[in-house]
Amino acid sequence: MIFEILSIVIGLYLFMIMYFNYKYPEIRWDWDTIQTDKVEFPEKFIWGTATAAHQVEGNCINNWSEFEKGSKPTGEPNIKDNQQSGLACDHWNRYLEDISLIKKLGVSYYRFSVEWSKIQPEQDVFDEDVLRHYLKMIDALLENNITPVLTLHHFTHPIWFDRLGAFEREENIQIFISFCERVFKEYSSKVSYWCTINEPGVVATQGYFSGMFPPGKKDSQLSAVVLKNLLDAHVKVYHALKKMEHGPQVKIGLVKNINQFEPWRRWHLLDWVISNRVNHFYNDSTIEFLRTGIYKIRIPGLAWIYHKNVNAMGSIDFFGLNYYSHNHLKMQFSPKEPFIMKYPDGDILTDMPYTIYGEGLYRAIESVSVLNVPIIITENGVADARDDRRKLYIKRYLYAVSKALEDGFDIHGYFYWSLMDNFEWAFGYDMKFGLYEVDYMSQKRTLRDGSQAFIDIVKG
Ligand code: BGC
Protein backbone atom coordinates (compact mmCIF):
# COMPACT_ATOMS: atom_id res chain seq x y z
CA MET A 1 0.00 0.00 0.00
CA ILE A 2 2.69 2.48 1.08
CA PHE A 3 4.60 1.59 -2.03
CA GLU A 4 1.57 2.38 -4.22
CA ILE A 5 0.93 5.74 -2.54
CA LEU A 6 4.60 6.59 -2.90
CA SER A 7 4.63 5.78 -6.61
CA ILE A 8 1.50 7.90 -7.16
CA VAL A 9 3.08 10.84 -5.33
CA ILE A 10 6.35 10.48 -7.27
CA GLY A 11 4.43 10.07 -10.53
CA LEU A 12 2.40 13.19 -9.82
CA TYR A 13 5.50 15.16 -8.89
CA LEU A 14 7.26 14.14 -12.10
CA PHE A 15 4.17 14.94 -14.14
CA MET A 16 3.92 18.44 -12.69
CA ILE A 17 7.60 19.14 -13.20
CA MET A 18 7.40 17.95 -16.81
CA TYR A 19 4.27 20.04 -17.39
CA PHE A 20 5.87 23.22 -15.97
CA ASN A 21 9.07 22.67 -17.95
CA TYR A 22 7.05 22.23 -21.13
CA LYS A 23 4.70 25.17 -20.50
CA TYR A 24 7.30 27.69 -19.31
CA PRO A 25 10.54 26.99 -21.16
CA GLU A 26 13.50 29.24 -20.44
CA ILE A 27 14.48 30.02 -24.00
CA ARG A 28 18.22 30.18 -24.69
CA TRP A 29 19.66 31.11 -28.07
CA ASP A 30 23.10 30.13 -29.27
CA TRP A 31 24.67 33.57 -29.44
CA ASP A 32 27.89 32.15 -30.87
CA THR A 33 26.13 31.34 -34.11
CA ILE A 34 23.78 34.33 -34.26
CA GLN A 35 24.81 37.23 -36.46
CA THR A 36 23.62 40.16 -34.41
CA ASP A 37 24.69 42.53 -37.21
CA LYS A 38 21.93 41.18 -39.39
CA VAL A 39 19.05 43.26 -38.08
CA GLU A 40 16.31 44.98 -40.01
CA PHE A 41 13.79 47.58 -38.96
CA PRO A 42 10.92 49.10 -40.89
CA GLU A 43 11.41 52.57 -42.27
CA LYS A 44 8.68 54.00 -40.05
CA PHE A 45 10.09 52.41 -36.90
CA ILE A 46 10.13 54.83 -33.96
CA TRP A 47 13.59 55.31 -32.45
CA GLY A 48 13.89 57.19 -29.22
CA THR A 49 15.53 57.59 -25.88
CA ALA A 50 14.01 58.11 -22.44
CA THR A 51 14.39 59.76 -19.04
CA ALA A 52 12.13 60.53 -16.06
CA ALA A 53 11.78 63.86 -14.28
CA HIS A 54 12.99 62.89 -10.82
CA GLN A 55 16.02 61.10 -12.21
CA VAL A 56 17.31 63.96 -14.35
CA GLU A 57 15.69 67.33 -13.64
CA GLY A 58 16.99 68.18 -10.20
CA ASN A 59 15.39 69.83 -7.18
CA CYS A 60 12.32 67.65 -6.96
CA ILE A 61 10.51 67.72 -3.63
CA ASN A 62 8.25 64.71 -3.58
CA ASN A 63 7.69 61.29 -2.02
CA TRP A 64 11.08 60.14 -3.30
CA SER A 65 13.13 63.08 -2.01
CA GLU A 66 11.54 62.43 1.39
CA PHE A 67 12.38 58.74 1.19
CA GLU A 68 15.98 59.54 0.22
CA LYS A 69 16.50 61.14 3.63
CA GLY A 70 15.35 58.09 5.56
CA SER A 71 16.50 54.65 6.51
CA LYS A 72 15.07 51.17 6.88
CA PRO A 73 14.10 49.66 10.25
CA THR A 74 17.48 47.87 10.13
CA GLY A 75 19.24 51.24 10.16
CA GLU A 76 20.48 50.84 6.59
CA PRO A 77 19.89 53.97 4.48
CA ASN A 78 17.02 53.79 1.98
CA ILE A 79 19.37 54.83 -0.80
CA LYS A 80 22.80 53.30 -1.27
CA ASP A 81 25.39 55.22 0.75
CA ASN A 82 22.77 57.79 1.73
CA GLN A 83 22.86 59.43 -1.70
CA GLN A 84 20.22 62.00 -2.58
CA SER A 85 18.91 63.00 -5.98
CA GLY A 86 19.63 66.74 -5.45
CA LEU A 87 20.48 68.56 -8.65
CA ALA A 88 20.58 65.32 -10.67
CA CYS A 89 21.58 66.16 -14.28
CA ASP A 90 20.13 69.67 -14.06
CA HIS A 91 18.04 68.73 -17.08
CA TRP A 92 15.57 71.40 -15.95
CA ASN A 93 18.05 74.10 -17.01
CA ARG A 94 19.99 72.15 -19.60
CA TYR A 95 17.21 70.67 -21.67
CA LEU A 96 18.28 72.56 -24.81
CA GLU A 97 21.75 71.05 -24.65
CA ASP A 98 20.16 67.65 -23.97
CA ILE A 99 17.91 67.98 -27.01
CA SER A 100 21.00 68.51 -29.13
CA LEU A 101 22.43 65.32 -27.62
CA ILE A 102 19.24 63.44 -28.57
CA LYS A 103 19.59 64.71 -32.13
CA LYS A 104 23.18 63.51 -32.35
CA LEU A 105 21.97 59.97 -31.67
CA GLY A 106 19.87 60.11 -34.81
CA VAL A 107 16.64 59.32 -32.95
CA SER A 108 13.52 61.41 -33.37
CA TYR A 109 11.46 60.60 -30.25
CA TYR A 110 12.03 61.55 -26.62
CA ARG A 111 10.15 59.99 -23.73
CA PHE A 112 10.20 62.08 -20.56
CA SER A 113 7.94 62.60 -17.56
CA VAL A 114 6.50 65.74 -16.02
CA GLU A 115 7.02 66.19 -12.31
CA TRP A 116 3.63 66.29 -10.62
CA SER A 117 5.03 67.83 -7.41
CA LYS A 118 6.38 70.80 -9.38
CA ILE A 119 3.20 71.32 -11.39
CA GLN A 120 0.88 70.99 -8.40
CA PRO A 121 2.92 71.94 -5.32
CA GLU A 122 -0.28 72.06 -3.24
CA GLN A 123 -3.56 70.35 -3.82
CA ASP A 124 -5.28 73.54 -4.91
CA VAL A 125 -2.31 75.22 -6.62
CA PHE A 126 -1.10 74.70 -10.18
CA ASP A 127 2.17 76.45 -10.88
CA GLU A 128 1.83 78.35 -14.14
CA ASP A 129 5.59 78.89 -14.47
CA VAL A 130 6.21 75.19 -14.27
CA LEU A 131 3.51 74.49 -16.84
CA ARG A 132 5.16 77.08 -19.10
CA HIS A 133 8.53 75.44 -18.58
CA TYR A 134 7.32 72.09 -19.91
CA LEU A 135 5.59 73.86 -22.77
CA LYS A 136 8.88 75.49 -23.74
CA MET A 137 10.59 72.11 -23.60
CA ILE A 138 7.91 70.50 -25.75
CA ASP A 139 8.18 73.37 -28.26
CA ALA A 140 11.95 73.02 -28.35
CA LEU A 141 11.62 69.29 -29.05
CA LEU A 142 9.16 69.92 -31.86
CA GLU A 143 11.37 72.64 -33.36
CA ASN A 144 14.13 70.03 -33.48
CA ASN A 145 11.84 67.47 -35.12
CA ILE A 146 11.75 65.33 -32.03
CA THR A 147 8.37 63.91 -31.10
CA PRO A 148 7.62 64.21 -27.39
CA VAL A 149 6.28 61.17 -25.53
CA LEU A 150 4.96 62.30 -22.17
CA THR A 151 4.66 60.14 -19.04
CA LEU A 152 2.24 61.43 -16.43
CA HIS A 153 3.43 59.38 -13.46
CA HIS A 154 6.94 57.97 -13.25
CA PHE A 155 7.30 56.78 -9.64
CA THR A 156 6.96 60.22 -8.01
CA HIS A 157 4.10 62.27 -6.64
CA PRO A 158 3.68 65.31 -4.35
CA ILE A 159 4.17 64.92 -0.62
CA TRP A 160 0.60 66.14 0.02
CA PHE A 161 -0.72 63.32 -2.16
CA ASP A 162 1.43 60.87 -0.23
CA ARG A 163 0.00 62.16 3.05
CA LEU A 164 -3.50 61.47 1.75
CA GLY A 165 -2.44 57.85 1.31
CA ALA A 166 -1.49 58.07 -2.39
CA PHE A 167 -2.63 54.99 -4.34
CA GLU A 168 -3.30 52.99 -1.19
CA ARG A 169 -6.75 54.60 -1.25
CA GLU A 170 -9.18 54.24 -4.10
CA GLU A 171 -10.68 57.68 -3.34
CA ASN A 172 -7.39 59.35 -4.28
CA ILE A 173 -7.57 58.18 -7.89
CA GLN A 174 -9.80 61.14 -8.68
CA ILE A 175 -7.06 63.55 -7.58
CA PHE A 176 -4.65 61.94 -10.01
CA ILE A 177 -7.20 62.13 -12.81
CA SER A 178 -7.67 65.88 -12.23
CA PHE A 179 -3.90 66.39 -12.46
CA CYS A 180 -3.73 64.38 -15.69
CA GLU A 181 -6.63 66.29 -17.20
CA ARG A 182 -4.91 69.57 -16.48
CA VAL A 183 -1.64 68.45 -18.06
CA PHE A 184 -3.48 67.01 -21.04
CA LYS A 185 -5.37 70.28 -21.54
CA GLU A 186 -2.06 72.15 -21.62
CA TYR A 187 -0.15 69.93 -24.04
CA SER A 188 -2.45 67.63 -25.98
CA SER A 189 -2.36 69.86 -29.07
CA LYS A 190 1.41 69.27 -29.23
CA VAL A 191 2.00 65.87 -27.66
CA SER A 192 0.66 62.90 -29.55
CA TYR A 193 2.00 60.04 -27.37
CA TRP A 194 1.00 59.73 -23.72
CA CYS A 195 1.99 57.19 -21.07
CA THR A 196 -0.28 57.21 -18.04
CA ILE A 197 1.65 55.36 -15.35
CA ASN A 198 5.16 53.95 -15.49
CA GLU A 199 5.43 50.39 -14.15
CA PRO A 200 2.56 50.03 -11.69
CA GLY A 201 3.93 46.59 -10.76
CA VAL A 202 7.24 48.10 -9.68
CA VAL A 203 5.54 50.83 -7.63
CA ALA A 204 3.41 48.20 -5.89
CA THR A 205 6.07 45.53 -5.28
CA GLN A 206 9.06 47.73 -4.47
CA GLY A 207 7.04 50.21 -2.44
CA TYR A 208 4.87 47.74 -0.54
CA PHE A 209 6.49 44.31 -0.70
CA SER A 210 10.30 44.62 -0.75
CA GLY A 211 10.24 48.09 0.82
CA MET A 212 12.99 49.29 -1.54
CA PHE A 213 10.91 52.20 -2.82
CA PRO A 214 8.73 54.67 -0.93
CA PRO A 215 6.81 54.32 1.24
CA GLY A 216 9.09 51.41 2.19
CA LYS A 217 6.29 49.19 3.49
CA LYS A 218 6.26 45.40 3.57
CA ASP A 219 2.66 44.35 3.32
CA SER A 220 1.81 41.98 0.48
CA GLN A 221 -1.96 42.45 0.65
CA LEU A 222 -1.57 46.21 0.53
CA SER A 223 0.83 45.78 -2.37
CA ALA A 224 -1.93 43.96 -4.28
CA VAL A 225 -4.43 46.71 -3.41
CA VAL A 226 -2.05 49.43 -4.61
CA LEU A 227 -1.52 47.58 -7.89
CA LYS A 228 -5.29 47.33 -8.34
CA ASN A 229 -5.72 51.06 -7.67
CA LEU A 230 -2.90 52.00 -10.04
CA LEU A 231 -4.41 49.88 -12.80
CA ASP A 232 -7.85 51.37 -12.17
CA ALA A 233 -6.26 54.83 -12.20
CA HIS A 234 -4.77 54.07 -15.60
CA VAL A 235 -8.15 52.97 -16.96
CA LYS A 236 -9.93 56.02 -15.62
CA VAL A 237 -7.29 58.42 -16.88
CA TYR A 238 -7.36 56.78 -20.30
CA HIS A 239 -11.12 57.24 -20.66
CA ALA A 240 -11.10 60.75 -19.17
CA LEU A 241 -8.41 61.95 -21.60
CA LYS A 242 -10.06 60.28 -24.57
CA LYS A 243 -13.14 62.41 -23.92
CA MET A 244 -11.14 65.63 -24.02
CA GLU A 245 -10.19 67.72 -27.04
CA HIS A 246 -7.48 65.86 -29.06
CA GLY A 247 -8.19 62.76 -27.00
CA PRO A 248 -9.38 60.63 -29.91
CA GLN A 249 -6.37 61.61 -32.06
CA VAL A 250 -3.54 60.95 -29.61
CA LYS A 251 -2.16 57.59 -28.53
CA ILE A 252 -2.39 56.72 -24.85
CA GLY A 253 -0.72 53.68 -23.31
CA LEU A 254 0.29 52.08 -20.04
CA VAL A 255 3.96 51.32 -19.43
CA LYS A 256 4.70 47.96 -17.86
CA ASN A 257 7.95 46.28 -17.04
CA ILE A 258 8.09 42.59 -17.84
CA ASN A 259 10.61 40.57 -15.89
CA GLN A 260 10.39 36.80 -16.11
CA PHE A 261 10.88 34.93 -12.86
CA GLU A 262 12.37 31.49 -13.44
CA PRO A 263 12.82 28.59 -11.04
CA TRP A 264 16.47 28.21 -10.07
CA ARG A 265 16.16 24.41 -10.04
CA ARG A 266 13.88 23.29 -12.85
CA TRP A 267 13.27 19.97 -11.10
CA HIS A 268 12.27 21.53 -7.78
CA LEU A 269 8.55 21.99 -7.25
CA LEU A 270 8.94 24.70 -4.61
CA ASP A 271 11.14 26.82 -6.89
CA TRP A 272 8.40 26.46 -9.51
CA VAL A 273 5.69 27.45 -7.05
CA ILE A 274 7.57 30.56 -5.93
CA SER A 275 8.49 31.72 -9.43
CA ASN A 276 5.01 30.95 -10.74
CA ARG A 277 3.31 33.05 -8.02
CA VAL A 278 5.72 35.95 -8.44
CA ASN A 279 5.08 35.91 -12.21
CA HIS A 280 1.38 35.76 -11.51
CA PHE A 281 1.51 38.87 -9.33
CA TYR A 282 4.10 40.88 -11.20
CA ASN A 283 3.43 40.09 -14.86
CA ASP A 284 0.30 38.08 -15.56
CA SER A 285 -2.22 39.88 -13.33
CA THR A 286 -1.74 43.14 -15.23
CA ILE A 287 -1.89 41.55 -18.69
CA GLU A 288 -5.02 39.62 -17.69
CA PHE A 289 -6.62 42.76 -16.32
CA LEU A 290 -6.06 44.64 -19.58
CA ARG A 291 -7.28 41.65 -21.58
CA THR A 292 -10.36 40.66 -19.59
CA GLY A 293 -11.09 43.42 -17.08
CA ILE A 294 -10.48 41.00 -14.22
CA TYR A 295 -7.77 41.59 -11.68
CA LYS A 296 -7.17 38.55 -9.59
CA ILE A 297 -4.35 37.89 -7.14
CA ARG A 298 -4.14 34.44 -5.62
CA ILE A 299 -1.20 33.95 -3.29
CA PRO A 300 -2.45 32.02 -0.26
CA GLY A 301 -1.48 33.60 3.02
CA LEU A 302 0.03 36.66 1.35
CA ALA A 303 -2.37 38.38 -1.03
CA TRP A 304 -5.87 37.57 -2.24
CA ILE A 305 -8.03 39.88 -4.36
CA TYR A 306 -10.75 39.71 -6.99
CA HIS A 307 -11.73 42.88 -8.80
CA LYS A 308 -13.59 43.56 -12.01
CA ASN A 309 -13.42 46.67 -14.17
CA VAL A 310 -14.86 46.10 -17.62
CA ASN A 311 -13.53 49.46 -18.79
CA ALA A 312 -10.03 48.02 -18.66
CA MET A 313 -10.66 46.23 -21.93
CA GLY A 314 -9.71 48.58 -24.75
CA SER A 315 -7.97 51.03 -22.40
CA ILE A 316 -4.65 51.14 -24.25
CA ASP A 317 -3.78 52.39 -27.73
CA PHE A 318 -0.34 50.85 -27.33
CA PHE A 319 1.46 48.72 -24.79
CA GLY A 320 4.58 50.40 -23.42
CA LEU A 321 6.98 47.57 -22.73
CA ASN A 322 9.96 48.09 -20.45
CA TYR A 323 12.35 45.17 -20.47
CA TYR A 324 15.74 44.60 -18.84
CA SER A 325 16.22 40.98 -17.80
CA HIS A 326 14.92 37.96 -15.89
CA ASN A 327 15.59 36.56 -12.41
CA HIS A 328 16.05 33.06 -11.04
CA LEU A 329 14.41 32.33 -7.72
CA LYS A 330 15.54 29.69 -5.27
CA MET A 331 13.19 28.78 -2.47
CA GLN A 332 14.62 28.51 1.03
CA PHE A 333 13.12 27.68 4.41
CA SER A 334 13.26 31.09 6.03
CA PRO A 335 10.12 33.04 6.93
CA LYS A 336 12.11 36.29 6.67
CA GLU A 337 13.42 35.56 3.19
CA PRO A 338 11.44 32.75 1.53
CA PHE A 339 13.47 33.00 -1.69
CA ILE A 340 16.76 34.34 -2.97
CA MET A 341 17.92 35.42 -6.43
CA LYS A 342 20.56 33.37 -8.22
CA TYR A 343 22.57 33.95 -11.41
CA PRO A 344 23.45 31.07 -13.72
CA ASP A 345 27.19 30.48 -14.16
CA GLY A 346 28.40 31.79 -17.47
CA ASP A 347 25.71 34.46 -17.79
CA ILE A 348 26.99 38.01 -18.06
CA LEU A 349 25.99 40.21 -15.15
CA THR A 350 25.14 43.87 -15.63
CA ASP A 351 25.89 46.34 -12.82
CA MET A 352 22.28 45.91 -11.70
CA PRO A 353 21.48 42.63 -9.96
CA TYR A 354 20.55 40.82 -13.17
CA THR A 355 22.16 39.38 -16.29
CA ILE A 356 22.17 40.08 -20.03
CA TYR A 357 19.30 38.08 -21.49
CA GLY A 358 18.25 39.24 -24.96
CA GLU A 359 16.00 36.23 -25.48
CA GLY A 360 13.85 37.59 -22.66
CA LEU A 361 12.89 40.65 -24.68
CA TYR A 362 11.58 38.37 -27.42
CA ARG A 363 9.65 36.37 -24.81
CA ALA A 364 8.26 39.58 -23.28
CA ILE A 365 7.07 40.80 -26.69
CA GLU A 366 5.42 37.44 -27.26
CA SER A 367 3.68 37.52 -23.88
CA VAL A 368 2.17 40.98 -24.28
CA SER A 369 1.16 40.39 -27.90
CA VAL A 370 -2.02 38.69 -26.55
CA LEU A 371 -3.40 42.19 -26.04
CA ASN A 372 -3.48 42.78 -29.78
CA VAL A 373 -2.33 46.37 -29.65
CA PRO A 374 0.86 47.89 -31.03
CA ILE A 375 3.86 47.39 -28.77
CA ILE A 376 6.32 50.20 -28.14
CA ILE A 377 9.45 49.28 -26.22
CA THR A 378 9.45 52.29 -23.94
CA GLU A 379 12.61 51.28 -22.02
CA ASN A 380 15.54 48.97 -22.53
CA GLY A 381 19.16 49.56 -21.60
CA VAL A 382 22.05 48.52 -19.42
CA ALA A 383 23.85 49.78 -16.33
CA ASP A 384 27.49 49.39 -17.28
CA ALA A 385 29.97 51.71 -15.57
CA ARG A 386 32.96 50.07 -17.29
CA ASP A 387 31.23 50.35 -20.68
CA ASP A 388 32.45 46.88 -21.56
CA ARG A 389 29.03 45.24 -21.98
CA ARG A 390 26.89 48.02 -23.47
CA LYS A 391 27.66 47.17 -27.09
CA LEU A 392 26.91 43.48 -26.57
CA TYR A 393 23.70 44.27 -24.69
CA ILE A 394 22.45 46.63 -27.40
CA LYS A 395 23.25 44.17 -30.18
CA ARG A 396 21.59 41.21 -28.53
CA TYR A 397 18.43 43.01 -27.44
CA LEU A 398 17.98 44.76 -30.75
CA TYR A 399 18.54 41.48 -32.52
CA ALA A 400 15.65 40.10 -30.44
CA VAL A 401 13.45 43.03 -31.52
CA SER A 402 14.40 42.57 -35.15
CA LYS A 403 13.63 38.85 -34.95
CA ALA A 404 10.27 39.56 -33.31
CA LEU A 405 9.45 41.98 -36.14
CA GLU A 406 10.43 39.37 -38.68
CA ASP A 407 8.16 36.88 -36.91
CA GLY A 408 5.24 39.24 -37.33
CA PHE A 409 4.90 40.94 -33.93
CA ASP A 410 3.44 44.43 -34.12
CA ILE A 411 6.27 46.50 -32.63
CA HIS A 412 6.20 50.19 -33.45
CA GLY A 413 9.26 51.51 -31.67
CA TYR A 414 12.15 51.27 -29.28
CA PHE A 415 13.39 53.75 -26.66
CA TYR A 416 16.82 53.32 -25.15
CA TRP A 417 17.04 53.81 -21.38
CA SER A 418 18.58 56.19 -20.81
CA LEU A 419 19.71 59.28 -22.66
CA MET A 420 22.24 59.97 -19.91
CA ASP A 421 23.36 58.68 -16.53
CA ASN A 422 20.93 59.65 -13.82
CA PHE A 423 19.60 59.02 -10.32
CA GLU A 424 18.85 55.30 -10.32
CA TRP A 425 16.38 55.23 -7.41
CA ALA A 426 17.52 52.98 -4.52
CA PHE A 427 20.94 52.55 -6.16
CA GLY A 428 21.59 56.29 -6.31
CA TYR A 429 24.10 57.56 -8.85
CA ASP A 430 26.18 54.37 -8.94
CA MET A 431 24.31 52.87 -11.87
CA LYS A 432 25.38 54.16 -15.27
CA PHE A 433 22.57 53.59 -17.74
CA GLY A 434 23.42 56.58 -19.95
CA LEU A 435 24.26 56.61 -23.61
CA TYR A 436 25.99 59.76 -22.41
CA GLU A 437 28.15 59.68 -19.33
CA VAL A 438 27.46 62.54 -16.92
CA ASP A 439 30.15 64.16 -14.82
CA TYR A 440 28.01 65.45 -11.95
CA MET A 441 30.61 68.01 -10.84
CA SER A 442 30.81 69.82 -14.16
CA GLN A 443 27.50 68.53 -15.63
CA LYS A 444 29.48 67.61 -18.73
CA ARG A 445 27.92 64.92 -20.92
CA THR A 446 30.14 62.59 -22.97
CA LEU A 447 29.01 59.94 -25.41
CA ARG A 448 30.12 56.46 -24.34
CA ASP A 449 31.95 54.27 -26.85
CA GLY A 450 29.48 51.42 -26.34
CA SER A 451 26.60 53.69 -27.34
CA GLN A 452 27.90 53.81 -30.89
CA ALA A 453 26.31 50.38 -31.42
CA PHE A 454 22.88 51.97 -30.87
CA ILE A 455 23.64 54.93 -33.14
CA ASP A 456 24.86 52.60 -35.90
CA ILE A 457 21.66 50.56 -35.82
CA VAL A 458 19.44 53.66 -35.71
CA LYS A 459 21.28 55.32 -38.57
CA GLY A 460 21.71 52.09 -40.48
C1 BGC B 1 12.35 52.52 -14.57
C2 BGC B 1 13.46 53.55 -14.69
C3 BGC B 1 14.76 52.95 -14.18
C4 BGC B 1 15.09 51.76 -15.06
C5 BGC B 1 16.41 51.09 -14.76
C6 BGC B 1 12.76 51.14 -14.97
O1 BGC B 1 12.18 50.24 -14.10
O2 BGC B 1 11.22 52.96 -15.25
O3 BGC B 1 13.10 54.70 -14.00
O4 BGC B 1 15.79 53.87 -14.15
O5 BGC B 1 14.09 50.80 -14.90
O6 BGC B 1 16.40 50.44 -13.56
Side-chain angles (χ1 to χ4, degrees), residues 395-431:
K395 288 186 151 229
R396 287 195 179 175
Y397 283 68
L398 280 173
Y399 169 82
V401 179
S402 159
K403 181 170 161 51
L405 280 162
E406 194 185 317
D407 293 348
F409 292 104
D410 191 16
I411 310 158
H412 285 207
Y414 174 97
F415 288 73
Y416 191 85
W417 183 273
S418 176
L419 169 64
M420 56 193 155
D421 293 342
N422 55 49
F423 181 74
E424 179 50 36
W425 310 114
F427 294 91
Y429 286 106
D430 292 12
M431 293 299 155

Side-chain angles (χ1 to χ4, degrees), residues 1-18 267 269:
M1 183 67 171
I2 288 184
F3 198 69
E4 275 165 13
I5 295 175
L6 211 67
S7 36
I8 292 174
V9 171
I10 293 174
L12 224 91
Y13 186 93
L14 290 176
F15 174 78
M16 282 165 82
I17 293 291
M18 271 161 60
W267 50 268
L269 199 55

Side-chain angles (χ1 to χ4, degrees), residues 77-101:
N78 283 336
I79 312 300
K80 187 162 176 277
D81 302 331
N82 261 319
Q83 298 178 69
Q84 297 197 12
S85 52
L87 188 62
C89 312
D90 195 22
H91 184 58
W92 182 265
N93 294 308
R94 293 169 194 264
Y95 68 86
L96 285 176
E97 177 191 346
D98 293 336
I99 291 174
S100 73
L101 300 182

Side-chain angles (χ1 to χ4, degrees), residues 299-313:
I299 311 181
L302 284 177
W304 200 269
I305 287 196
Y306 178 90
H307 168 69
K308 192 171 175 182
N309 180 352
V310 287
N311 297 329
M313 288 182 281

Side-chain angles (χ1 to χ4, degrees), residues 113-170:
S113 71
V114 290
E115 179 54 40
W116 183 1
S117 62
K118 286 183 181 171
I119 292 180
Q120 202 176 352
E122 287 166 48
Q123 192 169 357
D124 48 5
V125 177
F126 280 86
D127 189 322
E128 297 294 335
D129 288 342
V130 171
L131 286 167
R132 248 191 313 277
H133 168 88
Y134 286 119
L135 186 64
K136 278 203 262 169
M137 190 170 110
I138 291 166
D139 281 339
L141 286 164
L142 293 169
E143 278 155 25
N144 282 282
N145 294 321
I146 296 170
T147 304
V149 178
L150 190 154
T151 304
L152 288 157
H153 187 279
H154 195 125
F155 294 173
T156 56
H157 47 242
I159 294 168
W160 58 260
F161 183 68
D162 215 49
R163 294 209 174 114
L164 293 173
F167 292 102
E168 290 175 28
R169 295 164 66 93
E170 204 179 315

Side-chain angles (χ1 to χ4, degrees), residues 2-238:
I2 288 184
F3 198 69
E4 275 165 13
I5 295 175
L6 211 67
S7 36
I8 292 174
V9 171
I10 293 174
L12 224 91
Y13 186 93
L14 290 176
F15 174 78
M16 282 165 82
I17 293 291
M18 271 161 60
Y19 172 77
F20 280 139
N21 273 284
Y22 165 77
K23 185 133 193 259
Y24 308 106
E26 183 186 327
I27 299 172
R28 292 278 177 170
W29 293 338
D30 181 2
W31 290 104
D32 291 339
T33 61
I34 288 176
Q35 287 178 288
T36 48
D37 285 331
K38 292 229 161 89
V39 286
E40 264 184 61
F41 294 90
E43 215 168 288
K44 279 198 180 150
F45 197 71
I46 291 172
W47 288 108
T49 182
T51 62
H54 187 85
Q55 296 179 270
V56 294
E57 272 184 4
N59 301 322
C60 297
I61 301 167
N62 54 30
N63 59 327
W64 261 92
S65 61
E66 284 292 286
F67 186 69
E68 288 161 20
K69 295 181 212 149
S71 48
K72 303 185 201 309
T74 54
E76 237 185 297
N78 283 336
I79 312 300
K80 187 162 176 277
D81 302 331
N82 261 319
Q83 298 178 69
Q84 297 197 12
S85 52
L87 188 62
C89 312
D90 195 22
H91 184 58
W92 182 265
N93 294 308
R94 293 169 194 264
Y95 68 86
L96 285 176
E97 177 191 346
D98 293 336
I99 291 174
S100 73
L101 300 182
I102 299 171
K103 281 189 87 169
K104 282 195 189 124
L105 299 172
V107 305
S108 46
Y109 284 72
Y110 178 47
R111 176 175 172 237
F112 64 96
S113 71
V114 290
E115 179 54 40
W116 183 1
S117 62
K118 286 183 181 171
I119 292 180
Q120 202 176 352
E122 287 166 48
Q123 192 169 357
D124 48 5
V125 177
F126 280 86
D127 189 322
E128 297 294 335
D129 288 342
V130 171
L131 286 167
R132 248 191 313 277
H133 168 88
Y134 286 119
L135 186 64
K136 278 203 262 169
M137 190 170 110
I138 291 166
D139 281 339
L141 286 164
L142 293 169
E143 278 155 25
N144 282 282
N145 294 321
I146 296 170
T147 304
V149 178
L150 190 154
T151 304
L152 288 157
H153 187 279
H154 195 125
F155 294 173
T156 56
H157 47 242
I159 294 168
W160 58 260
F161 183 68
D162 215 49
R163 294 209 174 114
L164 293 173
F167 292 102
E168 290 175 28
R169 295 164 66 93
E170 204 179 315
E171 309 87 275
N172 292 342
I173 294 176
Q174 188 48 51
I175 301 173
F176 178 58
I177 300 174
S178 306
F179 159 72
C180 294
E181 284 173 334
R182 177 66 198 261
V183 175
F184 196 77
K185 187 167 157 261
E186 298 286 333
Y187 311 129
S188 61
S189 62
K190 302 188 173 195
V191 176
S192 46
Y193 283 88
W194 293 76
C195 305
T196 54
I197 299 176
N198 183 71
E199 303 185 343
V202 171
V203 176
T205 52
Q206 304 289 56
Y208 296 87
F209 184 72
S210 74
M212 271 180 76
F213 280 16
K217 296 188 182 173
K218 290 190 177 192
D219 177 340
S220 42
Q221 180 64 21
L222 183 59
S223 171
V225 170
V226 169
L227 181 53
K228 171 191 83 80
N229 289 341
L230 285 164
L231 293 175
D232 269 349
H234 156 76
V235 173
K236 288 186 174 156
V237 167
Y238 176 88

